[in-house]
Amino acid sequence: MALEGQQDGDIRAVLALSRAEALAGTKRRLTLPEGQQIVIPVPAGIRNGQEIRLEGRGQPSLNGRKGALVLTIALEHIEPPRQSRRGQSTGMIMLLTALTVFVMGASVITLYFTVIRPTQLRAQTTAASVTKSTATSLSQARDTARAGATARMNATATVQTQAVAQTKVTATVLQHIFNQATSGNPVLNDSLNQQDNNNWEVDSKAGGGGCAFTNGAYHVSTLLTGFFSSCYDHSHIFSNFVFQVQMTVLKGDRGGIIFRSDPTNTKFYLFRVGQDGSYDLYLYVDTSGSNAQLLAQGSSSAIHTGLNRPNKIAVIAAGSNLSFYVDQQFLVSIKDTTYQSGSIGVFADAQTNPTEVAFSNAKVWTL
């Protein structure tokens, strides 16, 4: 069950419309990253949050096929929902906040597609026209070209500055969400020093390794390189929640958490952290690891590197919004609607070396 290959080349953006445009329908001209312009027909009666999906208009993925261009409709001047006098649940408030964050993050892409990129193309066209003018206009053409280049540089710098600022806002909001979500009492609070009513899996795996309580912690191990050993809590099914556990790689390569899992059919999300400071998120759809879909990857200085260095791994799963943390610090957030509920588990992954990982202090807060 080796994990490999990125399957997704989708480009996501927000398409802002007035209420009149949404009611009557309209057309929008967008410029794709490679410079191609396309006209997007917007049907009459489209609703806020509805998606327009254009297959084959995204970026090439590693399998050679192009992903889709996915546009999320955002209607202007929409009143935010008013809070009931009885008060909304903490989980619902966090979910609405997370949705807002994703719309904010995508607005930078929308700005690039609908404003900055067309401006760049017009500047390029103007520069090309002036270059073809008579010899007496060469000086003016050079000045115009320089002005166009400066405008392009300024536009690029603006997009980069906005992207950096938006990333900081997103991280700050999601950090606040985590702090609020974990401020109450967890519904599952297990030290993992021994078996209890949570009924964690205890067994031996084919090829060596397994799941066992040893020396006051829950140890998961595998001897076969290119494979991982998974161990589940068999007593709970969770839908919207925060799951956190402390993980220490004792030897080998990597470990992590599994959530919203259907272990019988090998369907789950798998978030993996390496002792080299890397992380990634996969969507498993069947027993074949080659069909697993890579949803996110990266590295972070928040991850304690090396063996015998504990890291607290956490996920907030609120509807389609999945956000990940290490030692209470935000790492990455994505949207995916594939699985909505399931069991939780932990695992050890032997990338190139036999691996053993110790887990302790598992906690779950429901939203």
Side-chain angles (χ1 to χ4, degrees):
M1 294 184 286
L3 304 178
E4 60 185 30
Q6 183 173 358
Q7 304 296 322
D8 185 18
D10 291 354
I11 297 176
R12 292 183 174 272
V14 171
L15 185 60
L17 299 175
S18 67
R19 291 189 176 187
E21 289 175 315
L23 181 62
T26 186
K27 292 183 179 180
R28 287 292 180 86
R29 182 181 299 275
L30 300 182
T31 302
L32 300 181
E34 65 268 20
Q36 181 184 4
Q37 290 191 344
I38 60 173
V39 176
I40 306 297
V42 179
I46 197 165
R47 298 184 302 276
N48 188 60
Q50 191 171 340
E51 290 186 347
I52 298 176
R53 186 179 182 91
L54 301 176
E55 299 293 341
R57 295 294 189 177
Q59 297 284 3
S61 59
L62 294 182
N63 61 18
R65 294 178 296 180
K66 277 192 172 184
L69 172 61
V70 184
L71 301 175
T72 302
I73 301 302
L75 300 187
E76 298 173 353
H77 310 302
I78 295 181
E79 291 290 338
R82 295 183 179 180
Q83 184 173 355
S84 168
R85 290 186 178 180
R86 295 182 180 180
Q88 295 175 327
S89 68
T90 302
M92 182 58 68
I93 293 173
M94 289 188 298
L95 176 58
L96 293 174
T97 305
L99 290 171
T100 302
V101 168
F102 280 105
V103 172
M104 290 168 60
S107 66
V108 176
I109 301 175
T110 303
L111 174 66
Y112 180 80
F113 279 169
T114 61
V115 179
I116 302 298
R117 182 61 178 169
T119 301
Q120 292 175 338
L121 292 176
R122 287 194 295 271
Q124 293 168 357
T125 303
T126 301
S129 300
V130 174
T131 303
K132 296 179 181 180
S133 65
T134 64
T136 58
S137 301
L138 286 176
S139 177
Q140 181 181 358
R142 284 193 294 268
D143 292 341
T144 303
R146 292 192 190 101
T150 300
R152 289 192 295 272
M153 291 174 62
N154 291 339
T156 301
T158 300
V159 170
Q160 292 172 344
T161 301
Q162 291 169 335
V164 170
Q166 186 59 59
T167 299
K168 291 180 179 179
V169 171
T170 301
T172 300
V173 172
L174 290 174
Q175 188 67 55
H176 179 71
I177 289 174
F178 179 86
N179 296 339
Q180 290 293 317
T182 58
S183 62
N185 295 323
V187 296
L188 183 151
N189 190 355
D190 194 337
S191 66
L192 296 180
N193 60 0
Q194 62 183 0
Q195 184 66 281
D196 56 18
N197 292 334
N198 293 319
N199 193 23
W200 289 87
E201 182 177 351
V202 175
D203 62 13
S204 297
K205 304 297 185 183
C211 319
F213 290 94
T214 305
N215 298 325
Y218 190 46
H219 287 236
V220 184
S221 59
T222 180
L223 302 181
L224 298 177
T225 58
F227 291 81
F228 66 86
S229 290
S230 55
C231 305
Y232 291 94
D233 160 37
H234 290 300
S235 298
H236 300 89
I237 297 295
F238 296 108
S239 179
N240 296 312
F241 59 91
V242 183
F243 173 32
Q244 176 178 271
V245 67
Q246 181 167 294
M247 180 191 86
T248 305
V249 179
L250 302 179
K251 65 178 181 181
D253 302 316
R254 306 179 290 199
I257 57 176
I258 293 172
F259 60 97
R260 286 183 174 173
S261 174
D262 175 4
T264 303
N265 296 304
T266 320
K267 295 182 177 182
F268 48 77
Y269 295 103
L270 180 148
F271 182 64
R272 182 172 59 185
V273 174
Q275 54 109 338
D276 60 353
S278 64
Y279 66 83
D280 48 35
L281 171 67
Y282 278 87
L283 172 71
Y284 264 74
V285 295
D286 55 33
T287 57
S288 175
S290 60
N291 292 331
Q293 301 173 25
L294 178 63
L295 301 181
Q297 65 179 164
S299 61
S300 174
S301 59
I303 300 172
H304 297 142
T305 58
L307 298 176
N308 300 299
R309 300 287 305 280
N311 287 287
K312 288 184 180 179
I313 312 301
V315 58
I316 296 181
S320 62
N321 300 298
L322 308 176
S323 304
F324 299 88
Y325 303 78
V326 169
D327 289 336
Q328 292 85 46
Q329 296 187 51
F330 171 71
L331 288 183
V332 67
S333 189
I334 67 113
K335 290 174 70 74
D336 189 84
T337 60
T338 307
Y339 304 136
Q340 297 299 315
S341 64
S343 59
I344 58 172
V346 293
F347 71 94
D349 178 37
Q351 180 183 18
T352 56
N353 302 282
T355 297
E356 181 177 0
V357 183
F359 295 91
S360 61
N361 297 321
K363 297 181 180 181
V364 175
W365 297 262
T366 55
L367 305 180

